[in-house]
Amino acid sequence: MRRLALGAMAALIAACPPASAGFLDEVGSVGEEQIKEKEELRKMQSEIDDIKSTVGGAMQQLRQINDQAQQSQNLKEVHLFAREGTWQIREGENVSCLTYNSKIPGPVIHAVQGDPVKIVLHNQMKTSTSLYFHGLNAPHGVNGLPRSGQGLVEPGQTFVYQFVAGDPGTYWYHPHIVHADQRLRGLFGVLIVESRLKSRGADLDLPLVFSRMQVKKETVKPAKGAASTVLKAAAGSGESHYLINGKEAPMIPPLELRRGARVKLRLINAGDEAVPLHLSGHKLELSSINGGDRLEPHVFRDTFTLQPSDSVDAEFQANNPGVWSLASELFHQASRDGRFPGGMAMIVRYSEARVK
């Protein structure tokens, strides 16, 4: 049986004709064409990948350009000019002091959370100065100890402070501690960071900066003419003047209220003494201290003490018509020559009372 099977196989092989050369050539050409097609497909895929990479890079650059344009559009830029000047603290008394943009306090700076801020300090004084954003969580290059080339601004020079506005709250700016005497002579201002979330705010939003300025009399003898006496702010000596927003009562503008209004006071102590504050006829609701330190639940106070360098957000409902006062509880801070009001004392009155 085995011999018969082997014979049949041999006969079958003999019956099959051998493959022709043309057939083999045809098979070879098909293989080469498939290889070429695969190579072309690989090149096409590589080109597509290159195009995708180029488009992706272009889109990323476009997004970066859009982001930069958006940031540029939202950029808050403020110029502060630190200079010597004259400021009227009360009727008939002009004091030679230091100011930002010729005012005490300096301009209120408003920014929105997440937006870039650029503050340019121009030193037009005869001595070096610096700038510190109190309570603000900012990089070292902005709020670090000032030194040459990094926050120390020599006379006649400028310095740019750039940062992104962080947590919403009430902050304030002034020279760094190495120039604390300049703060006591009038260099300070308010920085407010608003939340990006839209919400109903207070009907009246008012920053109030409490400060103490020591003033001494100096005799000036010009080359020609009679000598004259001037008042000059001098940290560490002289007579103390207690101010709200750079003014002494009764020159402080009254706080005018409308019944039912919600009032927000941004209270800052730029001086070197504690100030116990009392708003007669109302209770203050303390919601925040020193910028982002939220008080939850809110604290209600009849009287509270504003410590040196503190910033406190306090609100109240105007629901008790009449004429009241917001003043220090220390008589020497709220009087002048033994009379009230003087110093840190301001009138709070409703429109109904004013009309009568």
Side-chain angles (χ1 to χ4, degrees):
M1 292 293 293
R2 184 177 179 184
R3 286 180 181 179
L4 288 174
L6 290 173
M9 289 179 62
L12 180 61
I13 292 171
C16 292
S20 66
F23 176 77
L24 293 175
D25 290 342
E26 185 177 347
V27 172
S29 64
V30 169
E32 289 177 359
E33 296 233 353
Q34 288 178 341
I35 293 173
K36 287 181 181 179
E37 288 178 359
K38 287 182 179 179
E39 181 63 22
E40 289 178 0
L41 287 173
R42 188 188 65 78
K43 289 181 179 180
M44 289 175 62
Q45 185 63 47
S46 177
E47 290 176 358
I48 291 173
D49 291 342
D50 289 342
I51 292 172
K52 287 182 178 179
S53 177
T54 302
V55 171
M59 291 299 293
Q60 184 177 3
Q61 291 180 356
L62 184 60
R63 284 193 294 268
Q64 290 176 349
I65 292 172
N66 288 336
D67 290 343
Q68 291 173 358
Q70 184 68 26
Q71 287 184 349
S72 177
Q73 187 177 16
N74 294 339
L75 175 67
K76 179 69 176 184
E77 182 171 342
V78 177
H79 290 256
L80 296 177
F81 297 86
R83 57 169 69 111
E84 297 178 3
T86 302
W87 181 254
Q88 187 179 37
I89 58 174
R90 71 170 181 167
E91 195 69 35
E93 289 194 3
N94 297 312
V95 179
S96 176
C97 55
L98 303 178
T99 66
Y100 287 125
N101 298 15
S102 301
K103 299 190 297 183
I104 298 179
V108 177
I109 300 175
H110 289 271
V112 177
Q113 183 183 21
D115 284 351
V117 180
K118 177 181 179 181
I119 298 178
V120 185
L121 176 62
H122 305 260
N123 184 5
Q124 298 181 344
M125 303 185 298
K126 298 176 183 177
T127 57
S128 63
T129 190
S130 56
L131 197 60
Y132 182 70
F133 303 96
H134 208 114
L136 193 71
N137 186 13
H140 179 267
V142 175
N143 258 12
L145 192 65
R147 56 185 184 275
S148 181
Q150 190 167 331
L152 183 65
V153 190
E154 299 294 343
Q157 294 185 354
T158 63
F159 189 85
V160 179
Y161 301 83
Q162 298 188 86
F163 56 91
V164 175
D167 293 335
T170 303
Y171 308 93
W172 62 297
Y173 60 90
H174 56 81
H176 209 283
I177 187 65
V178 296
H179 300 110
D181 62 309
Q182 297 176 351
R183 171 175 58 85
L184 297 176
R185 294 168 63 191
L187 288 185
F188 51 81
V190 181
L191 169 63
I192 298 173
V193 178
E194 301 284 2
S195 173
R196 187 169 292 279
L197 300 176
K198 300 297 182 182
S199 60
R200 185 182 183 277
D203 300 297
L204 177 62
D205 191 324
L206 181 64
L208 296 176
V209 185
F210 298 77
S211 64
R212 180 176 76 98
M213 181 180 289
Q214 291 177 281
V215 178
K216 64 179 182 179
K217 295 181 179 180
E218 288 189 352
T219 301
V220 179
K221 296 181 179 181
K224 295 181 180 180
S228 61
T229 301
V230 298
L231 299 176
K232 186 174 182 179
S237 63
E239 182 182 11
S240 291
H241 290 253
Y242 295 92
L243 314 174
I244 300 179
N245 285 352
K247 301 295 183 181
E248 182 179 356
M251 197 175 178
I252 302 169
L255 176 56
E256 304 283 1
L257 299 180
R258 175 179 53 81
R259 185 171 185 172
R262 184 70 178 175
V263 183
K264 181 173 185 175
L265 303 178
R266 301 177 186 267
L267 309 168
I268 297 171
N269 187 353
D272 56 356
E273 291 184 9
V275 180
L277 283 176
H278 173 66
L279 173 61
S280 58
H282 305 77
K283 284 190 180 295
L284 290 170
E285 181 183 358
L286 311 185
S287 58
S288 174
I289 180 170
N290 296 330
D293 298 336
R294 309 294 175 200
L295 301 178
E296 296 290 349
H298 294 179
V299 178
F300 289 85
R301 288 287 184 270
D302 175 76
T303 301
F304 77 97
T305 299
L306 196 62
Q307 297 291 345
S309 297
D310 270 354
S311 64
V312 173
D313 288 349
E315 301 183 28
F316 69 95
Q317 197 74 32
N319 54 10
N320 192 7
V323 179
W324 311 96
S325 69
L326 173 66
S328 169
E329 287 287 87
L330 296 178
F331 187 70
H332 74 276
Q333 292 181 346
S335 63
R336 182 67 175 170
D337 300 326
R339 294 192 299 272
F340 177 90
M344 295 174 178
M346 65 184 302
I347 299 298
V348 178
R349 65 188 181 193
Y350 286 69
S351 56
E352 297 94 327
R354 181 165 52 85
V355 171
K356 293 179 181 179

